Amino acid sequence: MRKILMGAICFLLCTGIVHAQSRTVTGKVTDNTGTPIPNASVIVKNFSTGTKTSSDGTFSISVPTNAKQLIISSVGMEDVTVNIGTKSFYDVTLRQSEKVLSEVVVTSLGIARDKRSLGYATQNIKADQIADKGEVNVVNALQGKVSGVSITNASGSAGASVNINIRGITSFTGNNQPLFIVDGIPISNDVDRTNGGPLGTLGDNQPANRALDLDINNIESINILKGPTAAALYGSRASSGAIIITTKKGGSARNKAEIIVNSSYSIQGAIGLPKLQNDYGQGTNGIYSTNVSLNSWGPKFGSTPSVANGLLVNGNPVDYRAYPNNINDFFQKGAIFDNSVTVNGGDLKQNYILSASNLNQKGILPNTELKRTSIKFGGNTMIRDKISFGGSVNFINTIQKGILGGNGNSSLGIIAQIPRSLDLTSYKTKGTYQNPDGTNNWIIAGQDNPYYDAYKNPLTSNVYRFLGNVTTGMDVTKWLNVSYRLGLDAYTDRRKQIFAVSSGRVPNGQVLENTIFRSELNGDLIITGKKNNIFTKDLNLTAILGQNINERYFQSTQVQGDNLAFPGFYNVSNATTLTVGSFEANTKTRLVGFYGQMSWAYKNYLFLEVTGRADQSSTLPKDKNTYFYPSASLGFVFTDAFKINSSILSYGKIRASSAKVGKDAPPYLLDNTYASWAFGNNVASFTFPFGSTAGFGASTRIAPKILSPEFTTSNEVGVNLGLFKNRVSIDFAYFKQVSKDQIINVAIPVSTGYSTKTTNIGEMTNKGIEALVNVGVISTRTFRWDVSANYTRIRNKVVSIAPGVDNFGIPGSAFTGSIPSIKVGYPYGVILGGVIPRSNDGQRLINPATGGYQPLIANQVLADPNNDYKIGFTNNLKYKSFSFGFTFDFNKGGQVLSFTSALYKSRGMLDKTGVDRDKPHILPGVIEVTPGKYIDNNIQVAAQTYWQALGGLQSEFNVYDATVFRLREISASYDVPSDVIKKLKINGARFSVFARNVFYVAPNSLIDPEVNTQGAGNIRGLELQSAPNARTVGVSLKLSL
Amino acid sequence: MRRISIVSLLLLVMFTSCKKYLDINQTPNNPLNVPASTILPTATVAVAFANSNDLNRATSAIVQHIAGVANQTAAYDVYNLDGSFDNQWNFEIYNGAVNNLQILIDQNSANNPAYSGIAKLQLAYIISVAADIWGDVPYSQAGQGLKYEQPRFDKVQDIYQGNSGLNITSLFDLVKSGLADLTKTSTLKPGTDDIVYKGDLTKWTRMGNTLLLKLAIQLTNVNPTLAKSTISSVLTANTYINANNLDFEVPFGPSVGNQNAIYTFNTLNRPGDQMLSSRFLALERSLNDTVRLAKLFTKPNNVFTSYDNGSTAAAPTNANRSKYNTFFTGATGEAPIRLLTNAQVNFILAEAALVLGTTGDANAYYQAGIRAHMSKIGMTTAEIDNYFNTNPSVVTLSGTNDDKLKQIITQKYISLVGNGIEAFNDYRRTGYPVLALPLNAAGDNPNVIPTRLPYTPAELARNPNAPNPRPKTDVKLWWAK
């Protein structure tokens, strides 16, 4: 076997066999106070290999015998060069300084690399940048900290999904979320939806993205590989970038067991609720009425009761007054209690880690919760200093309970339109939100009491997840290592959605039992060869040859029980119809990849890397299922090359890269199929079988005659600069990506008999600038102040779709009239809807007959969710044992369409609708008197007419500029000083207080623009009556025993 | 060298075993072929669903059987029609009906003509619906997948009369070809999968001949010769729907998912959107026809409560509104959707006798039509006789031919409550009954009752052959008066 492998290397790399010797060196890195420095870089000088110190500052690294020196560095510390002698353990002390640039990052395939050798952009996030900040979802914890990345959470609902796109969107209809890698293994970050009644995904409860299952406390570092260059070796699925997560490992050079206890408690509250008027109550046209609509267009509070104004009924005045907090009080105080214990021990070769954590969150919405329990065990061992074994298993149980949002009958749909005079708290208890027979008790027939909907119609998701990996590696010779890594991510998500009998959406009751299973098995064979001084002195080569197999399986089965026999028993056995909405869906895909990488380094200042990968996918036509894609990158540290030794320019690197990534198709697109048929939508529908008669029909998609992979080509140039003795570091990148031959189901005229045709078509480009600046403002022995700022600007453009196709809707649910779309010449995801016709000079046209606006022109660009640029800004201050940090971000531009805002206007709830309500109003616009000739609108209308004209759900008046400044997080911590620690006989103690989402300023938006009802996915910029965001404030204690 | 060959061999083995490993792309979720007996019910329901869903609501509002109170129906009521009906064109007509019917025809013409015959009759029916609503529509190139990726919009006159130069089979010939198929030997024959006639092909023959009558009467203004010859030959053959129990009506069921669209819309999902039109109520009162009206629309607390078309006044309390009665909704959605009826046939023959001079007595057909409808909706013989005895001037044709035509079409219009599409056809073709504009009319032309529906946004956007800009809703169809 060994010979074969060696032969393979000979054959494929055409390099000679060279014998080099290596040995293992360990050590510990501390600062000048003796505090261990975790995450410090340890790099073998003149070799592009390195490692990082563990949490207790220790390290272990294999060094070639011809290596002379180690370079030890850490952010904000001065580099130290250690001569390698005969010792095997080195104590290294770093002095605080401004050296910030030599950094080890974990790149593709889990390979630790000196960042200086990379020809492409990555960004590394360390544990202390995300832990103890009060965040539950690891994706959210990255907000504001990474350039080139866009992160938007769905809402503040417990466990709601978070969308992440790196360097924009590259695929029309495919998954645009980056690939998530945990300890070298790809894991699922999917969002699965369980359709909530007839409204489908427009009205569900915002289920989680599955990266939520990861415990932030257990993460050592996260490296973000931004472009396809960085991710080329992961293949197709990393074409949207990759998030490389490394979890904590046990073991230290001191070989001492350690127990770390982490405990935090935080409270949450809703933010971003607009100001409402408190002068007028329920009614229409100034007349009080209770059971017709939820309008707050009634008489003014304090009006003399009369029969005419509806306040006098049977001679008795009705109780009519404002309840200023009736909506705000619906949102409750949430709480998050997060505890974890980690035990780790061993030395650097044989070690273990065991951690258990539990998170218990009560949401800001009634009857919502998130519970996450995670148990992980991992260990590593080494046999005869040659063969290493390692692995970990992680069991996770995540329970999420959420309530319905979305337009119409949902808890959050109704809460956006509660009359100002309604005492909603009087409906809060079980005895009041339902009638004695358990049915919905509400002022309007056919509509849900928001409390009833929340308590009776929840969706629960119960995930059992297993993440496991094993790795074995062997140093075949001193220069050749062979390793195999096998990983499995499997989970079952059992969901139940209930619609109680008498609920507005499903009056006859419904029970959905949905079971989702997903697994991903991934194996990588990696052969690594290293040779220094190849061909000529100071030219070093690292070559990797690998093979990858990947199998993904997905199954979703659902039983939908309709027309329940009697209320109160929500089991499918209580249903009289089980045929509507019940289904089984399976997908299985397999991929085999072969890849290689050659990294050349010359004198540690010139770096060239080429990669190539050939994938075979099960989803492409059998005879054309192999596709190849290469990448190349070049890095040049010109300050070293030209021996520039200026105190101003301390470090300078330019880099350039080019990569192509192919992406296979979703499964099962190559055949024409039939399906059991259904007609209609939420207002009227028919579903087969019809009694006992089956009904099948041709699927609405027609299969392609040929299908090939889609490709994204990316070009990037960048520069890294260190100024003023590296006190200031700058990382700048410009990139351009072109995505072509998209595999999409393109819309075709339905008169063909089919709605869509699968084909390779279309082109989209992304151009962007990313900048990251770190400044060590002050650095003395006792006080440090570091500032980090990042900037991202991305311009996306849909260049073409298909001949004759100007636009089509992004797959997913949408309301006709506000459809997130792909439109030629516009950025991805513009929302198409009706706009008011304009005069020649752009003024809105008024209908002279009514004083209202002219009928809308359909299918126009209503909103563009893409922002102009984003800035993140983080400050960290440290004085002796005290640390203080805060992050704010600024998002310029982009738009959000808000149904909540529309309702606040049309229902007469917004504070402005209460101003001058009894006076006539004139809508802004012009009247066309003769063709081309206009006068200003002078037609007076009532306040109600005025605001209802401005309050159309899908109206341009409810599209808001999403510019927002946000104090994302603020935290302060105190490390108990080492002398106290020693007295307490513990290793360390840290006490922190933190707040997230502290406040925001959105000057042009009525609502918090950072919400997205449909959560993670390609649909953005729609707020369809969803939950508000939450502010979190908490404390945490970390003890190291 | 030996090493190299071993490695090469290893790689070869890996690649070959990959072939099998990767051969997993056959979907377990959907069949690649299905029997004809599962497609026929789908297509049939599609035809009925298209006739009873949004197109029916829009046309029923336009002809003022009902008035829109809220949401889309209220918009249709005042002719705000633009941007609507994508689902009807797409999923109901071309995906659901046309494509599946075309598949049935393609797959069964050779061996199972019983299926292709029924499919041709239904195809002719649904194409006539589309052509009557929109005018020029894809027909000869429709439902053929990638063969015609941008189907041509055939002229409505070519659809009705055929155009050999353009390879367009007339709807009459399509029906005749279907009727011929029904007489051929068929390996497979429909049974319970024929949800309308349970496999009784003679009843389908009646349906086909009746469809010829419906198609023919549409041409009174433009091709009376063809109309007359067609009707005369149907009369001679004497195999058409001539009894209520032979009606071409598609059944629905009482359980969730199987209910008809009138029920799911009016009773379940949008109970507040539409109700009895004040204008229809006025017409029925003027004809002393309220016994029949109470079968058509509910009468809560023994009072008809209607709403004026286009009104913006506060609507009456939901529970008090007069809405479609159980004749249309069934108790829980099981009422059939009636597409070609005995009553309709009698009114067609009355009109043909009057206008085209076909055989038979117009007045006799007229009275038979009224009786057929009254009986169909459940009036007792005594109630019918009483109506005839007390309203002789209503039930007897008198005056000029135009007066008589007005009487025929007015009664036909009453009999077509629940089938707004057919009432809309008659109105545009004859101008009867006389309708007034709704209040607050808007749309393409607020001064004209629409003479067609606007083409749908999706087809306009996707098909370069679609007439663009679309004709306004005041542009008359070829066969219109």
Side-chain angles (χ1 to χ4, degrees), chain A residues 54-120:
Chain A
S54 56
S55 56
D56 65 351
T58 58
F59 68 88
S60 169
I61 187 168
S62 172
V63 297
T65 38
N66 54 348
K68 298 286 192 299
Q69 289 174 317
L70 293 177
I71 300 168
I72 322 290
S73 59
S74 180
V75 177
M77 307 301 244
E78 207 157 80
D79 285 8
V80 167
T81 305
V82 176
N83 291 316
I84 303 171
T86 50
K87 283 199 295 181
S88 63
F89 191 91
Y90 294 84
D91 271 314
V92 183
T93 305
L94 296 188
R95 282 182 35 224
Q96 286 176 346
S97 148
E98 54 288 315
K99 179 70 179 175
V100 292
L101 286 162
S102 190
E103 199 185 334
V104 165
V105 292
V106 178
T107 63
S108 307
L109 303 167
I111 299 156
R113 295 276 301 276
D114 180 359
K115 196 173 176 183
R116 86 161 21 214
S117 71
L118 300 179
Y120 47 81

Side-chain angles (χ1 to χ4, degrees), chain A residues 179-393:
Chain A
L179 178 64
F180 276 68
I181 305 283
V182 174
D183 294 335
I185 300 299
I187 66 150
S188 159
N189 181 39
D190 293 271
V191 178
D192 294 302
R193 302 186 184 285
T194 295
N195 286 354
L199 267 186
T201 58
L202 297 172
D204 66 13
N205 76 329
Q206 300 187 327
N209 57 306
R210 287 267 68 92
L212 172 83
D213 295 329
L214 302 175
D215 178 11
I216 293 178
N217 286 321
N218 194 25
I219 292 172
E220 179 77 35
S221 71
I222 300 175
N223 191 38
I224 293 99
L225 304 185
K226 291 173 186 171
T229 319
L233 289 189
Y234 280 116
S236 313
R237 292 166 63 218
S239 57
S240 305
I243 307 282
I244 313 291
I245 295 173
T246 308
T247 63
K248 287 180 176 162
K249 301 279 182 296
S252 66
R254 286 179 303 164
N255 191 6
K256 196 179 161 196
E258 185 183 34
I259 301 172
I260 297 162
V261 179
N262 218 326
S263 194
S264 77
Y265 182 79
S266 14
I267 53 169
Q268 288 194 304
I271 61 166
L273 304 168
K275 270 194 181 157
L276 304 178
Q277 59 88 6
N278 286 303
D279 295 323
Y280 299 87
Q282 192 176 12
T284 303
N285 298 321
I287 300 163
Y288 177 70
S289 58
T290 55
N291 60 356
V292 176
S293 79
L294 295 174
N295 282 330
S296 293
W297 295 108
K300 192 163 189 166
F301 294 127
S303 301
T304 310
S306 71
V307 176
N309 69 14
L311 295 178
L312 201 61
V313 175
N314 300 329
N316 302 315
V318 298
D319 181 22
Y320 183 66
R321 58 198 164 96
Y323 289 90
N325 292 316
N326 58 358
I327 292 176
N328 292 11
D329 288 347
F330 178 80
F331 302 105
Q332 59 186 25
K333 191 188 276 179
I336 306 172
F337 195 29
D338 188 3
N339 294 293
S340 69
V341 182
T342 303
V343 181
N344 73 72
D347 58 25
L348 295 165
K349 289 176 181 168
Q350 327 265 348
N351 53 51
Y352 64 90
I353 183 164
L354 174 65
S355 71
S357 70
N358 176 267
L359 179 135
N360 202 328
Q361 177 179 8
K362 178 186 158 204
I364 58 167
L365 307 170
N367 201 27
T368 58
E369 64 177 15
L370 178 71
K371 290 177 177 172
R372 183 177 70 200
T373 306
S374 170
I375 296 169
K376 182 191 157 180
F377 179 73
N380 293 287
T381 186
M382 202 160 222
I383 298 166
R384 276 186 274 151
D385 270 355
K386 262 191 173 175
I387 305 171
S388 64
F389 288 100
S392 69
V393 287

Side-chain angles (χ1 to χ4, degrees), chain B residues 83-215:
Chain B
S84 300
F85 314 117
D86 261 335
N87 285 347
Q88 284 59 51
W89 178 287
N90 294 350
F91 301 118
E92 295 168 11
I93 295 177
Y94 283 102
N95 274 158
V98 174
N99 195 36
N100 287 317
L101 290 167
Q102 198 63 54
I103 287 170
L104 277 177
I105 294 166
D106 292 345
Q107 294 182 350
N108 296 291
S109 289
N111 298 319
N112 309 306
Y115 279 99
S116 61
I118 293 172
K120 285 174 186 172
L121 301 182
Q122 294 193 10
L123 182 63
Y125 183 90
I126 195 68
I127 291 292
S128 79
V129 167
D132 291 344
I133 283 176
W134 285 290
D136 304 347
V137 293
Y139 161 49
S140 60
Q141 297 181 349
Q144 304 193 41
L146 299 180
K147 190 173 174 194
Y148 299 106
E149 287 200 38
Q150 292 159 355
R152 183 179 63 209
F153 277 56
D154 294 334
K155 298 261 169 240
V156 60
Q157 50 268 48
D158 290 344
I159 294 171
Y160 268 94
Q161 301 178 135
N163 184 328
S164 54
L166 295 173
N167 247 330
I168 302 170
T169 309
S170 79
L171 290 182
F172 295 101
D173 287 345
L174 180 63
V175 173
K176 286 171 187 165
S177 156
L179 289 170
D181 281 0
L182 294 178
T183 63
K184 294 176 188 164
T185 311
S186 186
T187 311
L188 295 175
K189 285 180 186 162
T192 53
D193 54 310
D194 168 11
I195 57 176
V196 181
Y197 292 130
K198 305 293 172 204
D200 185 340
L201 297 184
T202 62
K203 288 183 178 167
W204 279 107
T205 304
R206 288 181 184 273
M207 178 273 177
N209 283 309
T210 306
L211 180 54
L212 290 176
L213 295 177
K214 169 184 136 66
L215 297 172

